[in-house]
């Protein structure tokens, strides 16, 4: 009987942080083709989107009441006050910035492990604080889905940060980073398409922004695409593509 291979618990030593990151990025792309297996990750992107709305509301002096994630992957944040022209774009742009921030943390194995733990704790706690009130509302079933997903994924990330090796932590952090970042960019592409067709997506963030600025929804959708793409591109360049010695 052969002894268990060490590769079953940790990636081979030949997998440098750069190679591990490439594998994580490719895994995030492939994950989008796996249908039901990608469902929890789809809900994760929605949670990040709605929490971004809520946190910007708090930062601009408003009140973040609660948020909900629906079974179809859509979501809604309930807020009051704050600066609307900052709160409305915070969902799509915030998700892209979230992905970009994680990419910049995904080069160091030790830093990735800490970031994974902090991310798991924050996801679980913020979901309990702002998702749990939805369970007590008319959206009871969606509230259960919201809390179960946010707390469950947060707990899994915490356990991963505690139990798995540094290389696997780096892989998982980059998987989340690229999934959320690319999902946000893909959602913005869909939003841009929707804004070009009259009568579709009238409740979208781009249409809400148009109502308070008098600029067309397609303008805001395109602007957010450019901001999100620039943020992700800069994070990739600064973390992995920048020549050594460049400040």
């Amino acid at each position: 009987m052969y002894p268990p291979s060490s590769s079953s618990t940790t990636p081979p030593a030949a997998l440098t942080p750069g190679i591990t990151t490439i594998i994580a990025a490719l895994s995030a792309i492939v994950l989008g083709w796996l249908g039901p297996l990608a469902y929890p990750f789809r809900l994760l992107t929605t949670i990040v989107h709605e929490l971004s709305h809520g946190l910007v509301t708090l930062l601009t002096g408003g009140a973040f009441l609660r948020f909900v994630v629906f079974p179809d992957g859509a979501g809604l944040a309930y807020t009051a006050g704050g600066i609307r022209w900052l709160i409305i774009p915070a969902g799509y742009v915030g998700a892209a910035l979230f992905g970009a921030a994680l990419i910049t943390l995904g080069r160091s194995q030790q830093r990735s492990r800490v970031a994974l733990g902090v991310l798991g704790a924050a996801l679980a706690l913020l979901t309990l604080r702002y998702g749990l009130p939805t369970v007590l509302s008319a959206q009871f079933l969606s509230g259960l889905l919201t809390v179960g997903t946010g707390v469950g994924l947060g707990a899994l990330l915490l356990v991963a940060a505690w139990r798995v090796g540094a290389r696997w932590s780096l892989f998982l952090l980059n998987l989340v980073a690229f999934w959320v970042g690319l999902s946000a960019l893909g959602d913005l592409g869909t939003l841009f398409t929707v804004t070009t067709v009259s009568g579709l997506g009238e409740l979208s963030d781009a249409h809400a922004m148009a109502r308070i600025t008098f600029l067309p929804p397609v303008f805001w959708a395109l602007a957010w695409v450019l901001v999100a793409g620039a943020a992700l591109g800069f994070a990739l360049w600064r973390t992995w593509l920048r020549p050594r010695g460049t400040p």
Side-chain angles (χ1 to χ4, degrees), residues 2-13 15 163-165 168:
Y2 293 102
S5 170
S6 61
S7 62
S8 62
T9 55
T10 58
L15 293 184
R163 298 290 295 175
V164 307
W168 278 109

Side-chain angles (χ1 to χ4, degrees), residues 64-192:
F64 183 17
L65 306 177
R66 62 186 179 92
F67 77 99
V68 60
V69 174
F70 299 107
D72 65 355
L76 190 61
Y78 292 84
T79 64
I83 302 176
R84 302 305 297 169
W85 60 270
L86 290 178
I87 296 169
I88 293 171
Y92 290 109
V93 175
L97 292 176
F98 173 85
L102 293 189
I103 288 172
T104 64
L105 294 172
R107 187 180 181 96
S108 163
Q109 293 179 13
Q110 289 304 120
R111 192 166 56 180
S112 294
R113 192 167 192 168
V114 173
L116 202 64
V118 171
L119 174 60
L123 181 61
L125 292 174
L126 288 173
T127 299
L128 284 173
R129 172 62 181 86
Y130 296 107
L132 197 57
T134 301
V135 178
L136 305 177
S137 73
Q139 298 164 322
F140 170 74
L141 293 178
S142 293
L144 288 178
L145 176 65
T146 303
V147 174
T149 302
V151 174
L153 289 176
L156 286 175
L157 292 175
L158 273 172
V159 170
W162 176 43
R163 298 290 295 175
V164 307
R167 290 183 184 275
W168 278 109
S169 294
L170 186 144
F171 170 81
L172 290 172
L173 185 71
N174 278 289
L175 178 64
V176 172
F178 281 97
W179 170 267
V180 174
L182 293 175
S183 293
L185 204 55
D187 289 344
L188 281 167
T190 301
L191 178 67
F192 177 78

Side-chain angles (χ1 to χ4, degrees), residues 17-104:
I19 295 175
T20 302
T21 299
I22 291 173
I23 295 173
L26 292 175
S27 299
I29 294 171
V30 171
L31 191 60
W33 301 337
L34 299 182
L37 293 179
Y39 185 64
F41 288 87
R42 174 64 258 179
L43 297 185
L44 172 62
T45 301
T46 304
I47 290 174
V48 173
H49 179 113
E50 303 308 333
L51 285 176
S52 296
H53 283 306
L55 294 178
V56 171
T57 300
L58 293 174
L59 290 173
T60 57
F64 183 17
L65 306 177
R66 62 186 179 92
F67 77 99
V68 60
V69 174
F70 299 107
D72 65 355
L76 190 61
Y78 292 84
T79 64
I83 302 176
R84 302 305 297 169
W85 60 270
L86 290 178
I87 296 169
I88 293 171
Y92 290 109
V93 175
L97 292 176
F98 173 85
L102 293 189
I103 288 172
T104 64

